[in-house]
């Protein structure tokens, strides 16, 4: 048997609310809140989603695989709170809507709790006039409008903070740049150049082994983010006595990157270019 509080309204009749934990509130938070007409709770759950998107969007690329777990970790305490407090909120909401508490009783279900109330326990029927702000449809329409404004503002903030930096205005210059890149890559192919790159984020270093018919005193390593130009990094690699190249990284670099290596041979630039998933201590092969 479960414990129920039974409420009465002159126009809407009897309503039973279970005391204690609400399993439907835990499992079906938003749907349950809408069904129980807990509009402020439903609005809060609706607003949580775009706020989480904004929060996760700002995390570094190194946490890309854990982002779904982070969203779940934030949502779980919220739904547990709905489970623990949901029935109390429902009872308080009924009283705000004009329901009066009759009594608490033991029953197997809400339907049985309502049937256990004898007609003699009901107060005398009085004329009832409901005000507009206690009706369903005004808040339903306002909720749709509010959600549209919230989602639109979220998309505007994301678009403003992350402009499409990969879009070019001067297509002629872009075309010339493509031709230049192809010439540099063809030169690297003729020189049979290959490279092995290892990044150490703990020490902030980049080590590279170069194979082929070129051994310039200095190389330029560009680590380019596919979508966020502010995350691009450039590292100058200097030739060491053992034939390897060494450089200092300005900060941590992880995740998906375009890796570009540029050097010179005979007064001409050559270029190795790959798209790689970078991780500290992991070897990345270029030119294969």
């Amino acid at each position: 048997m479960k414990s129920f509080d039974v409420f009465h309204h002159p126009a809407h009749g009897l309503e039973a609310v279970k005391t204690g934990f609400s399993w439907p509130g835990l499992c079906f938070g938003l749907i349950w809140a809408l069904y129980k007409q807990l509009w402020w709770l439903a609005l809060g759950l609706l607003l949580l989603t775009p706020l989480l998107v904004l929060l996760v969007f700002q995390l570094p690329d190194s946490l890309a695989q854990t982002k779904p777990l982070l969203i779940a970790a934030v949502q779980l305490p919220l739904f547990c709170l709905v489970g623990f407090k949901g029935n109390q909120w429902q009872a308080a909401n009924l009283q705000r809507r004009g329901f009066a508490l009759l009594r608490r009783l033991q029953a197997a279900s809400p339907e049985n709790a309502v049937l256990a109330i004898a007609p003699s326990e009901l107060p005398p029927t009085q004329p009832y006039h409901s005000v507009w702000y206690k009706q369903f449809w005004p808040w339903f329409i306002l909720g749709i409008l509010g959600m549209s404004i919230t989602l639109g503002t979220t998309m505007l903030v994301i678009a403003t903070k992350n402009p499409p930096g990969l879009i070019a205005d001067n297509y002629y210059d872009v075309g010339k740049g493509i031709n230049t890149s192809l010439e540099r890559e063809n030169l690297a192919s003729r020189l049979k150049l290959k490279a092995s790159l290892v990044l150490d984020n703990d020490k902030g270093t980049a080590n590279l082994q170069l194979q082929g018919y070129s051994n310039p005193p200095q190389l330029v390593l560009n680590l380019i983010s596919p979508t966020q130009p502010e995350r691009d990094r450039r590292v100058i690699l200097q030739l060491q006595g053992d034939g390897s190249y060494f450089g200092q990284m300005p900060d941590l670099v992880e995740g998906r990157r375009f890796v570009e290596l540029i050097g010179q041979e005979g007064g001409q630039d050559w270029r190795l270019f790959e798209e790689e998933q970078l991780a500290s201590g992991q070897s990345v092969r270029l030119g294969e």
Side-chain angles (χ1 to χ4, degrees), residues 1-2 4 6 14 16 102-122:
M1 301 291 283
K2 303 172 185 177
F4 292 89
V6 181
L14 295 171
L102 294 181
R103 65 184 175 97
R104 179 172 294 184
L105 52 82
Q106 301 293 319
S109 67
E111 293 78 11
N112 291 338
V114 170
L115 293 175
I117 300 297
S120 59
E121 298 182 65
L122 300 179

Side-chain angles (χ1 to χ4, degrees), residues 1 32 65 113 126 182 220 222 232:
M1 301 291 283
W32 180 84
Q65 296 181 349
Q126 299 177 354
L182 291 175
V220 177
N222 293 318
D232 295 350

Side-chain angles (χ1 to χ4, degrees), residues 139-177:
W139 292 109
F140 178 79
I141 296 173
L142 291 175
I144 294 177
L145 295 176
M147 192 60 188
S148 301
I149 294 173
T150 301
L151 291 177
T153 303
T154 301
M155 295 297 105
L156 178 61
V157 171
I158 293 176
T160 302
K161 290 187 175 181
N162 302 274
L166 301 181
I167 297 177
D169 294 328
N170 193 325
Y171 297 98
Y172 176 71
D173 289 343
V174 172
K176 291 194 299 182

Side-chain angles (χ1 to χ4, degrees), residues 5 18 38 45 57 69 74 102 132 179 257 275 278 287:
D5 287 333
K18 176 178 171 291
L38 298 174
L45 294 175
F57 198 84
L69 295 178
V74 174
L102 294 181
W132 71 269
N179 291 334
R257 292 289 191 278
E275 182 179 358
L278 301 182

Side-chain angles (χ1 to χ4, degrees), residues 198-234:
V198 177
L199 303 180
D200 190 331
N201 286 323
D202 296 330
K203 298 179 180 179
T205 61
N207 293 275
L208 184 135
Q209 299 287 340
L210 183 64
Q211 301 174 358
Y213 302 107
S214 181
N215 197 29
Q218 178 177 289
L219 298 175
V220 177
L221 175 65
N222 293 318
L223 304 173
I224 305 168
S225 171
T227 58
Q228 298 173 286
E230 68 275 7
R231 295 180 180 269
D232 295 350
R233 297 294 181 265
R234 170 169 290 192

